[in-house]
Structures are given as structure tokens and as C-alpha cells.
Amino acid sequence: MEIKSGVLYIVGTPIGNLGDISPRALETLKNIDFIAAEDTRVSLKLLTKFGIKKPMQSCRKHNIREVSEEITNRVLSGESCALITDAGMPCVSDPGAELIDLCIEKGVETEVVPGPSALTAALALSGFQCSRFSFEGFLSVNPRPRKERLDIMKDYDGLLIIYEAPHKLMKTLADLLRVLGDREIAVCRELTKIHEEVRRGKLSEMLSYFEQVQPKGEFVLVIKGFSPEEKPAVSIEKAAQIAADLIAQGLKPADAAREAAKQTGLSKSAIYKEYLNM
């Protein structure tokens, strides 16, 4: 393919399996002048695999505002640049939007070379009917914006897509169960990698499973949307109140949480945590 001077190419890269890179992406990376990479160490593994040697400019979340001006000026001077991230498409829960916005502002031509995406891969694997979806990326760890977003998600009738890290998975599952109710979910792990796995079931079932099995790898959660026809699920608050009533009758907290879990189908530990919050 012909690489044009003075163009920023937005290039999708594999999300795990390096064999998923497209011929067009390889040709672009082989022929541009330099690469703006999220993490040059990660990108070097990809480039080495395919025998590509190009100058790289670090373009990470913490420095992208500073380097965007430098990269844009280089492209304006006639160089060609490929923007890549560690995995998947730039700007999809990854750095890049600031650089692209600046290029547009300064009249720099941009072209996209599409590639793999964990978002669409998880949608396909979920098995859920999908006419619309809301991509939520990584939920905020700050309590107020997190709660506000979950409250909005509660009434959305399309599929909900969330990215999550292993050490935050349990809290996110518990929050989803508490706010959304016990909905159907597909938990997709390590997509396109050796240990790719998809588990499907209720939120309470996934929470109970990962209480026994330590979460490992990167996760994409696909959750069914709100359906007014569905039978309302027992909320985690209601389950905690059942446990509180049992404790008032003389049961030990652990036994009360276990009994409330039997009655509601929700996670014992989630009920106990909600009881403590009460």
C-alpha cells in the first residue's frame, strides 16, 4: 500500500493473539516514518515478531497532552506516523483521543486501519441478542461518579459492556448486582489468548464463582439490559434486610447471610457486606 506523507494513521493491533494483525496494518507499520506507541516496550514485542524496525515515540495516558503537540508538528512537516496502543483500537479505553483531536484542529489528515477489539469480540461471544449496546469502558473508582453511572445504566434496555481488571472484578460484580439486580451476564476473560474463557449466568452466580476462584487476566463483562417484562429480582438491600431480621431473631450473622442467600439466590458474601453497610 502507498503511505502518504503528512498523515496520522490510527492502527488497530491484536488484543492478544499476534496472528490477528491485518496485512494492511503490517504494511502501514513497515512503511511509515515513526510510531506513536502507548508503551514502547509492549509495542516492541509486536514489531520484533514481524521484523519491523521504526523509531517510536511514547504516547501514554500521562504524557499524551505534552507529546501530542510534538507528534502533530512532525506530521505537519511531512512525516507519516502510526498511532498504536498496547492492544486493540486507539481511543477505545486507551490513549489517543487528544492526539487525534489536535490533528483535526490543525488540519492534519488522519486515516484509520481497523483492527481487533475486545468490545466486539465479547459481544459476539456473549450469545446475547444485540440490536443496541452501551460501552461503559472502565467504571470510575470514585464513589460518586461510579454510583451516578450505575444508576443511569440501571434503566438502559440494551446490552451493557464493561472492561475490568482482575483485582477490581469482585467489587464491580457486587455493585452491578446491588444496582441492576440479578441479571444475565457473560464474563469474558483473556480474549484471543491461551486462557480465553467465557462464563455465562446470573450476576449472583458469577460473584459466587469468583469468590472461590481468584480472578486472573483482563475481563470484558456483557450484561443484559433492563427488561420491564422480566420478573423483578430481589435486590441486595432486600436480601440484607432478610439477614438483619434473622439476626434479630437470634441467628449468627454468617448463618443469617447463608439463609438469606438460599432464599434469594444472591451471594452470601454480598449479602453480608450489604448487611455491614446497613
Side-chain angles (χ1 to χ4, degrees):
M1 64 176 287
E2 179 184 356
I3 295 295
K4 293 181 285 186
S5 299
V7 174
L8 175 75
Y9 292 88
I10 306 163
V11 182
T13 54
I15 59 176
N17 190 322
L18 297 185
D20 291 337
I21 195 165
S22 71
R24 185 179 170 211
L26 283 176
E27 285 301 306
T28 302
L29 295 174
K30 288 177 181 177
N31 292 292
I32 44 80
D33 293 313
F34 72 103
I35 296 171
E38 178 183 0
D39 188 328
T40 55
R41 296 165 299 180
V42 173
S43 296
L44 185 60
K45 297 176 184 177
L46 174 69
L47 300 179
T48 301
K49 167 73 174 178
F50 295 102
I52 300 171
K53 294 182 179 181
K54 291 290 176 179
M56 283 192 286
Q57 166 72 63
S58 174
C59 193
R60 308 188 73 169
K61 183 177 180 180
H62 72 274
N63 74 343
I64 192 166
R65 290 186 181 180
E66 292 76 13
V67 301
S68 289
E69 191 78 34
E70 177 185 344
I71 293 170
T72 304
N73 288 336
R74 290 181 65 178
V75 178
L76 279 170
S77 71
E79 291 187 81
S80 57
C81 174
L83 170 64
I84 62 175
T85 55
D86 294 349
M89 288 301 299
C91 307
V92 183
S93 285
D94 275 321
E98 293 91 340
L99 172 58
I100 296 165
D101 185 54
L102 185 60
C103 285
I104 294 170
E105 179 185 323
K106 293 196 171 187
V108 173
E109 184 179 353
T110 56
E111 288 191 15
V112 67
V113 182
S117 169
L119 164 64
T120 52
L123 276 173
L125 281 170
S126 72
F128 298 151
Q129 292 293 325
C130 178
S131 58
R132 73 182 67 87
F133 64 88
S134 174
F135 175 58
E136 301 293 334
F138 291 94
L139 294 178
S140 173
V141 295
N142 296 320
R144 178 176 292 181
R146 185 181 180 92
K147 181 181 183 303
E148 290 174 350
R149 193 64 222 167
L150 286 167
D151 286 341
I152 293 172
M153 291 162 56
K154 178 174 62 177
D155 298 321
Y156 181 67
D157 62 356
L159 297 180
L160 297 163
I161 317 297
I162 296 172
Y163 286 172
E164 196 51 276
H167 62 286
K168 298 178 182 176
L169 179 67
M170 292 298 291
K171 175 170 174 51
T172 293
L173 290 174
D175 285 348
L176 290 169
L177 177 60
R178 175 174 55 81
V179 177
L180 307 184
D182 203 10
R183 295 189 188 175
E184 294 285 336
I185 182 174
V187 178
C188 306
R189 183 176 78 90
E190 292 290 87
L191 293 176
T192 78
K193 301 176 185 176
I194 294 175
H195 300 293
E196 177 181 301
E197 177 186 26
V198 182
R199 303 194 69 85
R200 304 173 183 87
K202 295 284 191 178
L203 274 164
S204 60
E205 295 170 346
M206 296 301 103
L207 193 57
S208 296
Y209 174 79
F210 286 107
E211 286 171 352
Q212 307 299 321
V213 178
Q214 182 182 359
K216 294 181 181 179
E218 298 300 318
F219 290 84
V220 185
L221 312 180
V222 185
I223 308 108
K224 278 195 172 182
F226 172 74
S227 173
E229 289 79 24
E230 289 183 358
K231 181 181 178 180
V234 176
S235 69
I236 194 68
E237 290 90 347
K238 176 64 176 176
Q241 186 58 55
I242 293 172
D245 292 342
L246 292 171
I247 291 169
Q249 296 170 24
L251 260 66
K252 294 180 180 179
D255 294 333
R258 185 179 298 108
E259 178 59 31
K262 288 181 182 178
Q263 293 182 28
T264 63
L266 301 183
S267 161
K268 171 189 167 183
S269 65
I271 293 171
Y272 185 71
K273 288 176 184 176
E274 184 63 26
Y275 165 73
L276 293 179
N277 289 336
M278 292 170 59

